Amino acid sequence: MKIAIPLNDAREFSAHYGASSALACFEVNTATRTIQVHSELLPIGSPCSWPDWLKTEGITVMLVGGMGGGAQKRCATLGIEVVAGVPAGDPIELAGRYLAGTLQPGKSSCSHTGDDHQHSHDHQHADSGHCHCSH
C-alpha cells in the first residue's frame, strides 16, 4: 500500500490537491499497518493527468483536503481510494491516523456545484467532472 498526501511549496499539507507542488508518499507494510518508507514525489503534467501518474507510482490511497469530482472519479476508476475532507495536519501524523483507523475526514473542501469554475491552476472544469485542459 502507498499513501499520498498533497504538499504546498513549504512542504506542509496542501488543502487542495490540484494546487499542490509535491506529494508526501508513504509506503506501508500492510501486515503491520506501519509506515516503512517516507519519500516525496514531484507531480508531472497538469493536475488533471495526475491520477494516471499516481497509478504508475503505485499510489493506492490519496488523503486530501479537497479534490474535484472529476479527479476523484478518475482515481476511483484506476483503483486509487480517495479520502477527501482530511483536516490540515502533519502528513506523517495524518497517514498514521489513517492506518490506525482514527482519521475522521469531513466534507471535501473542493465540492463544486453549478457551471464552469476556475481553479488557481489556470484551466476550466465543467460541472460534469470532465477536464477541459490540454494534456
Side-chain angles (χ1 to χ4, degrees), residues 1-24:
M1 167 190 301
K2 281 189 180 179
I3 300 170
I5 299 175
L7 303 173
N8 61 24
D9 290 338
R11 298 307 191 249
E12 298 168 339
F13 177 79
S14 175
H16 190 279
Y17 156 87
S20 62
S21 58
L23 297 170

Side-chain angles (χ1 to χ4, degrees), residues 82-135:
V82 174
V83 179
V86 172
D90 176 76
I92 294 172
E93 181 182 313
L94 293 171
R97 287 173 44 204
Y98 170 81
L99 292 169
T102 60
L103 182 66
Q104 297 187 1
K107 186 176 180 181
S108 174
S109 61
C110 190
S111 298
H112 302 293
T113 58
D115 296 328
D116 287 349
H117 63 278
Q118 181 72 26
H119 280 291
S120 62
H121 49 263
D122 296 329
H123 61 270
Q124 296 284 329
H125 296 264
D127 190 41
S128 65
H130 298 288
C131 175
H132 297 287
C133 62
S134 57
H135 48 77

